[in-house]
Amino acid sequence: MPLLYQSTRNKSNQVTASQAILQGLATDGGLYVPVKFPKVDLDFDQLKNATYQEIATLVLSAFFDDFSHEEIDKAVKSAYGKKFDTAEIAPVKQVGDHFVLELFHGETIAFKDMALSILPFLTTLSAKKNAVDNEIVILTATSGDTGKAAMAGFADVPQTKIIVFYPKNGVSKIQERQMLTQTGENVHVVGIDGNFDEAQTAVKTMFNDEKLRQKMLANGKQFSSANSMNIGRLIPQVAYYIYAYAQLVKSGNITAGEKIDFSVPTGNFGNILAAHYARKIGLPIKQLICASNKNNVLTDFFNTGTYNKKRNFYVTSSPSMDILISSNLERLIFELTDEDDKMTSKFLTELSKTGEYKITEKMQEKLANFSADWASEAVISDEIATTFVEEHYVLDPHTAVASAVYRRLKPAEKTVVVSTASPYKFPKVVLESLTEPSKNLTDFEAVEALEKISKTPLPKAVSDLFNAEIRHNTVIATAEMQHEVESYLKLK
Ligand SMILES: *Cc1c(COP(=O)(O)O)cnc(C)c1O
């Protein structure tokens, strides 16, 4: 019997891993979660000597057991290879009294590469396994990093197309340029005049639109998602938490079995949920620190039990965390209700109807192994400056959020700050934190200035951007998103 996945909104909707990966979202609007968590043998006396690829294979084979070991092994080797600029894939660095797990060594220099470099392999394998010969259309809303990483992963992959929507005024210039220069015959990227939440809501609506689904099928196509709602995104992320722990055992900084904390810069709640899943399969984690920027809806949720999205939306220096509806939280809510699908649906319906919900006290008690806090724009800037002056280490603004929150909470355990982007992806903010606010530099001039000051090597992903050709220029109103999809796909 393979491990099955159930929808958070209808437990009787159960599918295999490959079916869950293909579908992305459950058709009832819920998210797929494992019916039972697999048993994984985490023997760190052995794992400390394992490669990233070996640990990824261990995790993926356990969770996605309708794939053969050979299939997983091949996908892992293809994904975590030359596209990364370090053989370690996800190095752990000591920075002062804590550690930083660098997840930005992939093609697009942000942590989304960790999952999106393998998702295309899992998606096409899943299609084959389920005898699906429809064209798979990846439909994705991005707050900046997912879009580029997904396009890089899916570009020219046979039997797939990918459409990415991003908030025209909500991403950094580097992020936008990365997307607009994307090559590949099967990629389409579109700016919208709304924010990320609006883009994501419209994408979810299209996924759940039965009429559109039928129309797609009639045209030999079906949607899938590259967002972190897809279990095929979430599970590969479990691997680097285990890898990081193994590296700390190897370097003698912790002993096997010692509990540690992770501080995670959080937006859609995917990265930190992967850490929680690592904990559920036995990784010794005490606290997971949920770090937010000024869009601090999750800080309030963890500290009060009320999720309330009725608040101002801020465009911050950490745009990939500018999110008021953290979709993956639904998976945690489902767990907190003791897997009550009706109750989970009720909370989520309340959220879309009234803009808020309050969990019960019993549910709130189960949140004791999470801590949460947030960092303002000024605190982020200070954190970047302080870390550079004291430790000669350059943080990007997202990582700075997690670092600042760690510094404020100062847990007793050894702590790993999860670093989700290279500072070169957000050069202006980083530069302005390290120097006096300068004249009006472009992002590209800022990159050069940052390289001089920080003396950290410029990733190829950024230097290549300077000369790349702009290939996309569509901008539309949010209300036009479905129309854009239908016309790009030439649906009849
Ligand atoms: C996506 C992203 C985040 C937020 O991760 P979630 O899984 O959405 O919580 C943080 N930092 C960077 C740089 C990102 O790209």
Side-chain angles (χ1 to χ4, degrees):
M1 245 320 254
L3 185 75
L4 291 178
Y5 287 78
Q6 60 189 344
S7 164
T8 50
R9 299 200 196 178
N10 176 6
K11 279 165 81 164
S12 61
N13 179 359
Q14 297 195 350
V15 297
T16 61
S18 62
Q19 288 166 338
I21 291 167
L22 262 191
Q23 283 183 34
L25 273 179
T27 45
D28 53 47
L31 306 188
Y32 285 116
V33 292
V35 169
K36 233 176 94 197
F37 278 76
K39 289 220 169 19
V40 184
D41 182 19
L42 298 181
D43 172 2
F44 283 98
D45 287 328
Q46 277 193 351
L47 289 179
K48 68 181 182 192
N49 295 317
T51 61
Y52 189 87
Q53 292 81 352
E54 285 163 350
I55 289 181
T57 302
L58 176 76
V59 171
L60 290 171
S61 315
F63 277 96
F64 297 157
D65 64 357
D66 62 336
F67 294 85
S68 71
H69 193 82
E70 289 68 37
E71 286 171 329
I72 296 278
D73 193 50
K74 189 156 169 251
V76 163
K77 286 199 175 115
S78 316
Y80 304 113
K82 286 191 296 293
K83 286 185 177 174
F84 283 75
D85 67 11
T86 163
E88 291 172 273
I89 309 295
V92 180
K93 307 260 167 84
Q94 177 143 23
V95 176
D97 64 357
H98 61 280
F99 303 91
V100 174
L101 169 60
E102 294 184 349
L103 301 179
F104 54 77
H105 290 276
E107 236 183 323
T108 76
I109 59 175
F111 100 98
K112 304 292 194 292
D113 290 325
M114 300 305 298
L116 283 166
S117 45
I118 193 160
L119 185 66
F121 297 102
L122 298 174
T123 304
T124 45
L125 269 175
S126 297
K128 219 176 268 150
K129 207 170 276 299
N130 291 282
V132 167
D133 45 24
N134 287 326
E135 182 175 58
I136 310 294
V137 179
I138 306 293
L139 193 59
T140 286
T142 183
S143 56
D145 290 329
T146 292
K148 174 65 187 184
M151 287 191 290
F154 279 97
D156 293 327
V157 172
Q159 206 192 337
T160 71
K161 276 203 171 64
I162 172 161
I163 306 174
V164 169
F165 292 101
Y166 74 96
K168 179 72 191 158
N169 297 315
V171 301
S172 85
K173 282 281 168 271
I174 298 273
Q175 287 178 314
E176 181 172 45
R177 202 178 167 90
Q178 281 188 318
M179 289 193 276
L180 300 185
T181 55
Q182 178 64 48
T183 57
E185 288 307 308
N186 62 340
V187 306
H188 188 49
V189 55
V190 182
I192 63 155
D193 64 0
N195 63 34
F196 169 72
D197 286 319
E198 290 163 328
Q200 177 159 263
T201 302
V203 163
K204 275 195 195 169
T205 304
M206 283 187 257
F207 266 100
N208 295 332
D209 183 335
E210 184 54 29
K211 244 172 82 189
L212 181 58
R213 206 171 76 87
Q214 292 303 336
K215 198 167 174 181
M216 290 280 288
L217 284 177
N219 284 268
K221 299 179 196 307
Q222 66 186 65
F223 285 132
S224 185
S225 152
N227 276 103
S228 56
M229 282 100 87
N230 192 324
I231 196 79
R233 267 276 305 269
L234 200 57
I235 300 304
Q237 297 179 171
V238 173
Y240 49 73
Y241 288 100
I242 295 170
Y243 181 74
Y245 191 94
Q247 295 312 297
L248 291 178
V249 172
K250 185 178 184 174
S251 59
N253 281 297
I254 58 173
T255 52
E258 179 177 346
K259 287 200 171 175
I260 66 170
D261 294 356
F262 285 94
S263 181
V264 187
T266 299
N268 223 356
F269 208 72
N271 200 0
I272 192 167
L273 189 72
H276 180 59
Y277 279 11
R279 176 163 62 189
K280 283 173 79 80
I281 60 169
L283 189 67
I285 298 176
K286 182 141 190 276
Q287 289 296 115
L288 287 173
I289 301 171
C290 175
S292 300
N293 67 20
K294 198 173 174 190
N295 295 296
N296 54 5
V297 59
L298 285 168
T299 310
D300 291 345
F301 169 73
F302 280 103
N303 294 331
T304 68
T306 297
Y307 194 98
N308 184 349
K309 67 160 182 162
K310 292 173 292 178
R311 57 179 74 212
N312 284 333
F313 175 86
Y314 300 103
V315 173
T316 72
S317 59
S318 46
S320 302
M321 298 160 68
D322 290 345
I323 290 174
L324 293 180
I325 307 170
S326 299
S327 301
N328 269 299
L329 189 66
E330 177 166 344
R331 291 187 159 112
L332 185 66
I333 297 291
F334 181 70
E335 188 183 316
L336 298 174
T337 60
D338 293 324
E339 309 202 335
D340 184 333
D341 50 358
K342 301 236 165 35
M343 199 167 165
T344 305
S345 303
K346 200 176 123 265
F347 285 128
L348 275 298
T349 308
E350 252 172 74
L351 181 66
S352 63
K353 287 214 174 109
T354 70
E356 67 178 305
Y357 62 83
K358 181 162 182 54
I359 62 172
T360 65
E361 249 167 56
K362 202 168 140 232
M363 288 167 72
Q364 218 179 325
E365 280 163 18
K366 294 185 203 150
L367 290 178
N369 54 8
F370 283 92
S371 328
D373 208 336
W374 66 283
S376 68
E377 293 295 280
V379 167
I380 293 172
S381 216
D382 279 354
E383 185 66 23
I384 294 172
T386 307
T387 305
F388 182 64
V389 171
E390 292 178 0
E391 314 296 345
H392 308 287
Y393 187 86
V394 188
L395 300 168
D396 100 289
H398 302 77
T399 311
V401 170
S403 186
V405 167
Y406 155 74
R407 211 184 279 273
R408 189 172 312 142
L409 300 182
K410 261 294 178 253
E413 298 76 36
K414 297 199 177 109
T415 300
V416 177
V417 168
V418 176
S419 177
T420 49
S422 157
Y424 285 113
K425 202 154 188 178
F426 306 92
K428 274 179 84 161
V429 189
V430 175
L431 186 71
E432 278 165 16
S433 306
L434 298 182
T435 58
E436 293 300 311
S438 49
K439 43 187 179 355
N440 260 342
L441 293 183
T442 65
D443 265 25
F444 295 93
E445 289 162 341
V447 163
E448 289 175 334
L450 185 58
E451 192 183 15
K452 285 207 189 82
I453 294 177
S454 72
K455 300 192 179 68
T456 49
L458 187 61
K460 191 166 176 299
V462 175
S463 51
D464 283 354
L465 265 190
F466 285 86
N467 305 316
E469 176 200 349
I470 301 284
R471 312 171 64 95
H472 305 267
N473 59 8
T474 315
V475 179
I476 60 166
T478 310
E480 291 298 307
M481 284 170 60
Q482 180 162 341
H483 179 256
E484 182 64 28
V485 168
E486 296 203 26
S487 88
Y488 175 67
L489 296 176
K490 303 190 179 70
L491 295 190
K492 290 195 274 286

